Amino acid sequence: NDKLAQTVKLAQRDGRPEMLGFAELMQGTNAYHHEACRKARDHFERARKSLRECTGVEWEHDATNIYDQLSALYAGDYTYLARTTPSLLDQALRKRRVWAATMMSGFAGMMAWLTNDDVRGYRQKLTEARGLWQPGEDAGWPGMLLLYAEALLAIYTAEPVRAFEAGRVVSADDVD
């Protein structure tokens, strides 16, 4: 945490919004990984405000939004997720940002749709996110995150066999 404190101090001394935003993002991810999700969300809000003034910081925007969504999920703020995730996901899909779209549509974003019992809408978002990337020889992390989300959705809809079948297809593809 000494290095993080030094980073924050340097960013404050520098004063540029991209530096301040990045320092807030780092403080937020640190709080998130120490299970202080509500504190993390305050940092992400400040990061978002700073980064809005900048160009060329798409990754930082994505990371801020994704970690804020994860923090909201673990803090149980499903209302926030239902209100913000759909537009963030649509933006990531439009910009073809694979990481952001996968995270926003995967298990971290599922509450945005399932809070309103919108199973069909959620399945559609998973399909759209899956369409952004082309897997290589293995399913890769986007495929695994989306498969995990599909498995959780199958459990939610009382179709656990569907989850096992999807997992079996991935396992069969891995055995050549």
Side-chain angles (χ1 to χ4, degrees), residues 91-163:
Q91 182 181 42
L93 290 167
R94 265 193 325 277
K95 292 181 176 184
R96 303 196 56 76
R97 313 257 322 142
V98 176
W99 180 55
T102 301
M103 292 299 289
M104 294 286 178
S105 64
F107 73 94
M110 73 185 338
M111 287 303 143
W113 287 270
L114 298 187
T115 296
N116 298 312
D117 200 31
D118 184 7
V119 172
R120 186 176 350 150
Y122 182 56
R123 277 200 178 112
Q124 176 62 35
K125 293 303 177 182
L126 287 173
T127 299
E128 290 174 24
R130 191 174 287 286
L132 280 185
W133 63 280
Q134 300 298 320
E137 291 186 20
D138 63 38
W141 64 265
M144 296 313 293
L145 284 175
L146 294 171
L147 179 64
Y148 180 55
E150 289 166 0
L152 291 174
L153 182 60
I155 293 166
Y156 176 83
T157 59
E159 303 171 296
V161 172
R162 188 176 184 161

Side-chain angles (χ1 to χ4, degrees), residues 59-94:
W59 180 88
E60 289 82 355
H61 277 289
D62 288 348
T64 297
N65 289 329
I66 289 165
Y67 272 99
D68 186 44
Q69 296 289 301
L70 288 167
S71 295
L73 175 67
Y74 295 128
D77 193 353
Y78 300 145
T79 301
Y80 177 81
L81 292 172
R83 191 175 71 248
T84 60
T85 304
S87 63
L88 290 171
L89 173 58
D90 287 343
Q91 182 181 42
L93 290 167
R94 265 193 325 277

Side-chain angles (χ1 to χ4, degrees), residues 25-36:
L25 171 59
M26 291 301 97
Q27 289 176 96
T29 56
N30 185 55
Y32 166 81
H33 287 292
H34 285 94
E35 299 178 6

